[in-house]
Amino acid sequence: MSIDALPTISEECPGVTVSRRSPFSVLPALVRDPLQALPPEIYHEPVVYSQVAGRRRILLADPALIHEALVRNADALNKGEDVRRALGPALGQGLLTADGAHWRWQRQSVAPAFRHEKLMGLLPPMIATAEKTRDRWLASGSSIGIGHEMMRTTFDIIVETMMSGPGGIDVARVERGITDYLKPTGWVFALSILDAPEWLPYPGRSRARAAATYLRSAITRMIAERRRKPDGREDLVALLLAASDPESGRTMTDEDIADNLLTFMTAGHETTALGLAWTFLLLARHPNHEARVLAEIDEVTAGGPVRPEHIARLAYTRQVFSEAMRLYPPAPIITRTATRAFPLGGFMVPQGAVLILPIHAVHHHATLWESPERFDPERFAPEPAKSRHRYAYMPFGAGPRICIGSAFATMEAVAILAVLLQAVRLRSRADDMPAPMMKVTLRPKKEAEMLVERRS
Ligand code: HEM
């Protein structure tokens, strides 16, 4: 059948489940926690269709359809209005939010920072930063907020590795600014779905805007300093300063560079920090898996300090991190908008439709995973992983917009886990896992306190 003859996806299409939740229940849920606004059917059906405020929304949990959309039809999709409204005021048109030629140019410009040899050179500062966190914990006591501690560690790593250090930036204030900025994004998504005007006030808006203004001014000062005194450093800032568009020959303005540095600071620390926080919380409740991780660290390091060459050999530790990200994907939902009609699973997706890729639902899907709620790092051993559809697991997204930092993040997480677990045991006060909540990223609803015990 030619694609012109394919029916447009709609409520009547066979195999498509229709969500009948009313906007009156969906929109408040979206403000509180977008994960609660997902139709429950998407946790056991392949495709769910809904129409909210006149916009068609197609939710995909079938790995083959995800492949067809995000990989084979990537050129028919862009990030869309919801993402632009939520993240644009802070991240401008950086790599995460840009589309088309502007995105492509930026992706090519920063790619050298993520080559394997370059990443290997970043392991010493990653390990050294984890050691600072370890020493702080050992010196200062018994109780820590795991989310905050991991944010601090991964933030220091991103600033150290991508920008060669803070260079006059008030790191604590920038970190707070990012948190303030992300807090009210549920409101932004809800208002965007309703096509409400962008000036409309909502709780947390002025604080978020003030945070975005501070972030941008701090970064712009740092860029000006680097332009004034080029010093031969080979970091992300240097790549951005040297980048030129292959089509127009244009170089990046300070604003383009600030967009990207803010993008990397935000996308490059929150997600990894949350993946690590969930890993520690899970290990505290699964002593048998924790014991296996410790045995591996002991064997690989022979009881000595963690060194860069150990990281690739910590295979079970990596499996544990992967399984934590299956249960608690740090980026639990991604979205796209169709810029033109394209075929998907025997139907046509019309121009303007919004595709929702509910990574959280894919990772917990009843037909894709056996006992999906069970924590089982064995799922990521080489054999079971081989027999699974590649897009049944996608914490880093899929297609050309896949996370550029996935190898960086995995390496960093394993290094941090190895350094910290070798020295301390983290215990939770509560038996149950903390409830998760989405604010762009997936975090514990309340900061999770953990007790630090020195390992003998
Ligand atoms: C466990 C940690 C991480 C997770 C789970 C994660 C997840 C993701 C996901 C799902 C996307 C795709 C978004 C979409 O398709 O709409 C993405 C994109 C991106 N991530 Fe990550 N990320 C992580 C760590 C990092 C790190 C460490 C960096 C930088 C050093 C980074 C930088 C980026 C950037 C710049 C993009 C946009 C790429 C593009 O559109 O070309 N991420 N990330």
Side-chain angles (χ1 to χ4, degrees):
M1 193 197 288
S2 97
I3 64 165
D4 298 334
L6 293 177
T8 297
I9 192 160
S10 72
E11 304 200 352
E12 278 81 47
C13 291
V16 172
T17 306
V18 178
S19 168
R20 305 257 175 227
R21 279 177 80 183
S22 101
F24 296 109
S25 77
V26 171
L27 291 172
L30 203 56
V31 170
R32 281 195 309 275
D33 173 0
L35 218 47
Q36 303 302 323
L38 288 179
E41 296 89 342
I42 198 60
Y43 285 83
H44 49 88
E45 298 291 342
V47 184
V48 173
Y49 176 91
S50 79
Q51 202 152 338
V52 181
R55 265 214 265 173
R56 293 171 210 244
R57 304 191 154 249
I58 301 157
L59 291 97
L60 300 178
D62 176 349
L65 293 180
I66 291 172
H67 176 245
E68 193 177 348
L70 288 189
V71 184
R72 299 210 344 238
N73 286 290
D75 62 347
L77 300 170
N78 72 15
K79 288 286 177 121
E81 184 61 12
D82 300 350
V83 173
R84 191 191 60 73
R85 273 180 76 153
L87 299 178
L91 309 184
Q93 285 292 300
L95 188 58
L96 185 70
T97 35
D99 280 307
H102 193 54
W103 164 75
R104 202 165 308 109
W105 166 43
Q106 299 187 84
R107 179 106 185 180
Q108 282 162 2
S109 302
V110 299
F114 294 91
R115 297 219 174 97
H116 181 71
E117 327 74 73
K118 190 78 188 170
L119 292 183
M120 295 310 287
L122 303 182
L123 269 170
M126 289 175 177
I127 292 172
T129 310
E131 286 171 344
K132 265 197 231 156
T133 301
R134 175 198 65 197
D135 296 346
R136 192 169 66 240
W137 289 0
L138 290 177
S140 75
S142 61
S143 179
I144 52 149
I146 189 67
H148 172 70
E149 285 293 322
M150 287 302 101
M151 297 273 178
R152 193 168 162 187
T153 309
T154 57
F155 194 80
D156 286 349
I157 288 178
I158 202 82
V159 170
E160 205 50 54
T161 56
M162 294 283 140
M163 297 157 59
S164 308
I169 294 177
D170 178 347
V171 169
R173 196 164 163 207
V174 169
E175 196 207 323
R176 259 197 327 274
I178 292 175
T179 307
D180 283 349
Y181 183 80
L182 293 179
K183 238 180 234 164
T185 42
W187 277 101
V188 186
F189 288 130
L191 294 171
S192 174
I193 287 177
L194 292 173
D195 273 335
E198 288 193 42
W199 51 259
L200 212 67
Y202 50 82
R205 183 181 197 265
S206 45
R207 202 169 170 156
R209 294 283 156 136
T213 308
Y214 169 72
L215 292 174
R216 196 156 278 273
S217 66
I219 294 289
T220 309
R221 270 198 306 278
M222 190 271 280
I223 298 167
E225 187 64 15
R226 288 285 294 265
R227 274 202 202 277
R228 212 173 36 246
K229 280 198 256 156
D231 50 13
R233 277 182 270 185
E234 290 178 7
D235 57 7
L236 184 71
V237 186
L239 281 177
L240 295 166
L241 284 166
S244 84
D245 184 341
E247 278 168 35
S248 65
R250 137 171 135 78
T251 53
M252 288 200 190
T253 60
D254 283 5
E255 197 179 346
D256 294 330
I257 297 177
D259 288 350
N260 278 296
L261 292 179
L262 286 167
T263 295
F264 278 91
M265 286 165 82
T266 310
H269 93 284
E270 275 250 338
T271 42
T272 318
L274 291 168
L276 280 161
W278 289 115
T279 306
F280 282 116
L281 289 162
L282 283 161
L283 285 177
R285 286 162 181 82
H286 295 89
N288 48 340
H289 296 299
E290 188 188 34
R292 209 174 141 188
V293 172
L294 279 176
E296 179 181 76
I297 297 171
D298 241 19
E299 191 196 321
V300 169
T301 62
V306 175
R307 289 199 307 269
E309 61 274 24
H310 296 146
I311 304 305
R313 292 168 53 205
L314 294 167
Y316 187 72
T317 311
R318 201 160 41 249
Q319 280 175 229
V320 165
F321 183 62
S322 299
E323 173 68 345
M325 289 202 297
R326 181 185 69 81
L327 286 168
Y328 298 95
I333 302 177
I334 58 179
T335 60
R336 293 289 188 276
T337 299
T339 53
R340 60 170 168 78
F342 70 92
L344 180 72
F347 304 112
M348 284 307 278
V349 173
Q351 181 183 0
V354 175
L355 285 192
I356 299 179
L357 292 307
I359 297 175
H360 187 270
V362 176
H363 287 186
H364 290 250
H365 205 273
T367 66
L368 300 174
W369 302 92
E370 208 190 307
S371 310
E373 300 312 315
R374 186 161 45 92
F375 175 63
D376 179 9
E378 273 312 306
R379 299 179 203 269
F380 291 91
E383 281 313 309
K386 251 189 248 161
S387 61
R388 213 169 22 241
H389 192 292
R390 177 161 170 208
Y391 297 112
Y393 180 67
M394 46 176 297
F396 296 109
R401 303 301 299 253
I402 196 167
C403 177
I404 197 167
S406 62
F408 177 112
T410 309
M411 213 179 224
E412 174 187 20
V414 172
I416 292 173
L417 286 168
V419 169
L420 295 177
L421 287 170
Q422 201 182 37
V424 301
R425 192 165 189 215
L426 293 182
R427 290 283 151 258
S428 280
R429 289 208 171 95
D431 289 340
D432 293 333
M433 282 294 281
M437 177 185 68
M438 178 178 170
K439 289 282 171 215
V440 181
T441 46
L442 191 67
R443 58 194 61 225
K445 203 174 254 173
K446 282 202 228 108
E447 173 63 297
E449 292 292 322
M450 298 192 87
L451 303 174
V452 178
E453 288 168 19
R454 183 188 285 266
R455 279 191 204 281
S456 44

